[in-house]
Amino acid sequence: MATKEFKLPDVGEGVAEGELVNWLVAPGDTVSEDQPVAEVETDKALVEVPSPYDGTVKELLAEEGEMVPVGNVIITFTVGGDAEADEPSSESGADAEPDAPTEPDASAEPGASAEPEAPGAEADAVEATEGRVFAPPSARRLARELGVNVAAVNGSGPGGRVTDADVRNHAESGGTGETGGEAKASKGPKQVDMSSGKSAVSRREDADGEPAGAGTGGASASAAPSTVERAGRERTLAAPATRRVADEEGVDLNDVPTDETRDGEAFVTAEQVRSYAADVAAAEEAEAAGAGGPSATAGAGNGAAAGASTATGGEETVPYRGVRRTIGNQMAESKYTAPHVSHHDTVVIDDLVEAREELKEHAAERDVKLTYLPFVMKALVAGLKEFPVLNSELREDEEEIVLKKEYNVGIAVATDAGLMVPVVKDVDQKSLLQLAEEVNDLASRARERKLSREEMQGGTFTITNFGAVGGEYATPIINYPETAILGLGAIDERPVAEDGEVRAAHTLPLSLSIDHRVIDGAEAGRFTNHVMEYLENPQLLLLE
């Protein structure tokens, strides 16, 4: 038996860190080599990180939403032989720790380690020794969102662990947490005591399922589940990663209940801290919603989850992370690095509308949807060849402007997760139908979060189509370190004055933003005029 550490690998060329968006496993889970264990967000790409071992997850050393430097240990595994047999407390896998003691804890309830290989006994042992629900933070958050009392959910994971799927199944079957006493009479819902001045966290039950200390009050588990006091220790041992989690959660390690010891001192794991913090948060939500009494936590599922946004005056908070934070960092770097100037113009495209209508049917016969974008891309490349400074990059350290000889056009795509920019490579070497087919494929996979990192790299110029939502003009931000970006407004009939008369014509508004350190305004105007010439006379595209 051995404990193996797994460091965050370089999930993309030159990436120094990544955001751990979601854990796909929990402590105690059995994993196989190459099985995804986490999702990591880097530079707008969501990447699954696979396990390098066959074994059992021992501890998760990073929090969801945390930025982790490449090379930092994020997870440990128990590998070799029977992983569960090596863990005396593996039946409560949420508390596994890399250097956990090899002897059973003397303070554990009777029968806690008996026959761990029996699934039924294992689940009973979990409840007897810990008296709390084992569920990762994601499952607890989901339970609160769905109005489910996590204590009433039957866990299907190792040691009775509650998974996200368990919570969803419970919600779909009509369970709300209100009937937790009926669904699990031997366990009973957790109760929050907001008036005691003590930690509102249910922690321990005896082997019969009654809350610890219930005998002194003469109450049954289903009638009056107890609340457990803060541990109130003067000293607690914990790994640095666990202490970091405690700081982030605002938890005092000395308050977190634990049965584990190291060198005679209480030892707390990161999972225990997260569970404790989640229970305290649920208690606070219940109090804010006006819940109380034996069903306070059960009611919090419906009341607190719905009222969480009104408890602070109607505000709602949304995590600033993942793709949204990546976009924010990229936009800030671009805006504060490159002095932006925007050039606006409008092109009459009656002939282009007519040409596209004629070609659309031929494209459909080849199962290709032909939009205006491929025409714009071809016209754009014609302009970049004539004015190469717009297809460039400023390398400040080397004090040089690099004029790119490749024409790789990024296409900004709005997705539910935020803006993504897949890149169409070698636009100058592809036909309209090839471009149409590739753009449709990339846009579709961008919305499904199925793009690879490589498909969003190597761009030399970017197009953004804000006209898709009805806009005309904008001041798009450059996709740094590129030096220009072209925004497309909505194609519509607008009044156009020609030869002293006004007529309705199909027009396309254009918004070009440039890095004024590299590109002069006059050159931006001439470039735009060149692109407009090709859009006004689409037959010129046959020459490209």
Side-chain angles (χ1 to χ4, degrees):
M1 305 300 300
T3 296
K4 296 288 188 180
E5 295 181 339
F6 178 51
K7 300 176 181 179
L8 179 65
D10 185 353
V11 293
E13 181 181 357
V15 172
E17 63 180 3
E19 178 176 354
L20 202 152
V21 176
N22 185 39
W23 281 112
L24 305 178
V25 295
D29 287 356
T30 299
V31 297
S32 57
E33 186 176 357
D34 294 330
Q35 175 184 336
V37 296
E39 292 180 327
V40 176
E41 186 85 52
T42 61
D43 196 25
K44 300 185 184 179
L46 189 66
V47 181
E48 289 186 341
V49 177
S51 167
Y53 307 111
D54 292 325
T56 300
V57 177
K58 206 167 188 185
E59 185 181 11
L60 308 180
L61 300 176
E63 177 76 5
E64 291 181 351
E66 179 182 349
M67 296 300 296
V68 182
V70 170
N72 275 26
V73 178
I74 60 172
I75 186 172
T76 59
F77 301 91
T78 300
V79 300
D82 183 359
E84 291 188 3
D86 185 59
E87 298 295 326
S89 59
S90 62
E91 64 272 19
S92 59
D95 297 334
E97 195 72 12
D99 299 316
T102 57
E103 294 298 324
D105 193 336
S107 65
E109 295 293 334
S113 329
E115 298 183 9
E117 69 277 2
E122 182 180 23
D124 292 341
V126 172
E127 294 186 11
T129 56
E130 293 298 327
R132 65 181 173 85
V133 178
F134 284 109
S138 60
R140 292 178 182 273
R141 286 196 299 269
L142 180 61
R144 291 198 295 271
E145 292 171 2
L146 298 179
V148 169
N149 178 15
V150 72
V153 180
N154 292 312
S156 63
R161 177 180 302 281
V162 175
T163 66
D164 291 7
D166 295 331
V167 174
R168 291 191 182 92
N169 291 338
H170 186 84
E172 292 173 358
S173 65
T176 63
E178 299 287 344
T179 59
E182 297 176 8
K184 283 190 171 183
S186 64
K187 183 172 183 177
K190 293 185 288 186
Q191 178 183 357
V192 176
D193 182 2
M194 299 306 297
S195 62
S196 66
K198 299 172 182 177
S199 179
V201 183
S202 297
R203 274 287 178 256
R204 301 180 58 82
E205 299 174 14
D206 65 18
D208 294 328
E210 294 181 353
T216 61
S220 66
S222 59
S226 73
T227 58
V228 176
E229 302 179 4
R230 296 173 295 180
R233 295 180 298 272
E234 295 183 357
R235 176 179 168 83
T236 302
L237 300 180
T242 301
R243 294 186 181 277
R244 185 171 65 248
V245 171
D247 289 340
E248 294 172 352
E249 297 286 355
V251 168
D252 186 343
L253 287 173
N254 293 326
D255 289 343
V256 180
T258 182
D259 288 331
E260 293 198 38
T261 59
R262 294 279 180 85
D263 300 325
E265 298 280 0
F267 185 85
V268 170
T269 68
E271 185 68 18
Q272 288 173 324
V273 171
R274 294 187 186 104
S275 296
Y276 179 85
D279 287 344
V280 170
E284 292 173 350
E285 289 178 0
E287 182 186 31
S295 61
T297 302
N302 291 327
S309 61
T310 60
T312 57
E315 295 181 350
E316 179 182 0
T317 60
V318 178
Y320 180 60
R321 63 191 191 198
V323 173
R324 176 51 52 198
R325 182 164 63 186
T326 302
I327 293 172
N329 293 340
Q330 176 77 0
M331 295 298 100
E333 180 184 16
S334 177
K335 195 66 176 177
Y336 292 119
T337 301
H340 283 54
V341 170
S342 293
H343 174 88
H344 303 290
D345 215 325
T346 301
V347 54
V348 176
I349 57 167
D350 286 334
D351 290 346
L352 176 59
V353 171
E354 184 179 344
R356 184 237 178 188
E357 283 297 321
E358 292 178 0
L359 296 176
K360 189 167 64 172
E361 294 183 5
H362 296 285
E365 292 175 357
R366 304 185 189 184
D367 295 325
V368 177
K369 180 182 178 181
L370 182 61
T371 65
Y372 290 103
L373 192 54
F375 295 93
V376 175
M377 294 170 71
K378 297 295 284 187
L380 172 68
V381 169
L384 294 177
K385 288 181 177 180
E386 188 71 19
F387 300 92
V389 71
L390 280 92
N391 198 50
S392 64
E393 175 185 342
L394 173 60
R395 295 177 181 171
E396 296 182 72
D397 292 340
E398 292 82 2
E399 295 185 338
E400 60 186 19
I401 299 172
V402 181
L403 304 180
K404 304 293 183 69
K405 299 301 182 182
E406 296 178 332
Y407 302 94
N408 303 330
V409 179
I411 306 298
V413 179
T415 74
D416 291 339
L419 194 68
M420 293 191 177
V421 187
V423 177
V424 180
K425 307 290 177 63
D426 303 320
V427 173
D428 59 318
Q429 301 174 24
K430 296 175 180 176
S431 68
L432 287 173
L433 289 184
Q434 287 175 318
L435 292 175
E437 189 171 21
E438 190 168 346
V439 167
N440 293 339
D441 173 63
L442 288 172
S444 175
R445 289 190 291 113
R447 297 184 184 99
E448 296 172 359
R449 305 294 301 277
K450 292 182 179 179
L451 290 174
S452 67
R453 177 179 171 78
E454 291 72 19
E455 289 175 312
M456 292 190 288
Q457 291 180 319
T460 62
F461 192 101
T462 297
I463 294 176
T464 179
N465 182 17
F466 46 80
V469 294
E472 287 192 43
Y473 295 100
T475 54
I477 296 178
I478 298 165
N479 190 16
Y480 187 80
E482 297 170 13
T483 56
I485 181 172
L486 180 64
L488 308 180
I491 295 176
D492 204 350
E493 282 192 323
R494 298 179 176 91
V496 174
E498 291 180 350
D499 300 326
E501 296 183 358
V502 177
R503 70 178 182 89
H506 288 93
T507 59
L508 169 62
L510 302 176
S511 297
L512 175 71
S513 290
I514 58 171
D515 183 342
H516 214 347
R517 298 174 301 173
V518 179
I519 305 167
D520 294 330
E523 194 146 24
R526 288 193 290 268
F527 164 81
T528 304
N529 290 338
H530 196 82
V531 172
M532 291 170 58
E533 183 180 1
Y534 277 79
L535 295 176
E536 289 173 342
N537 305 285
Q539 66 270 20
L540 294 178
L541 296 175
L542 298 174
L543 303 177
E544 298 299 318

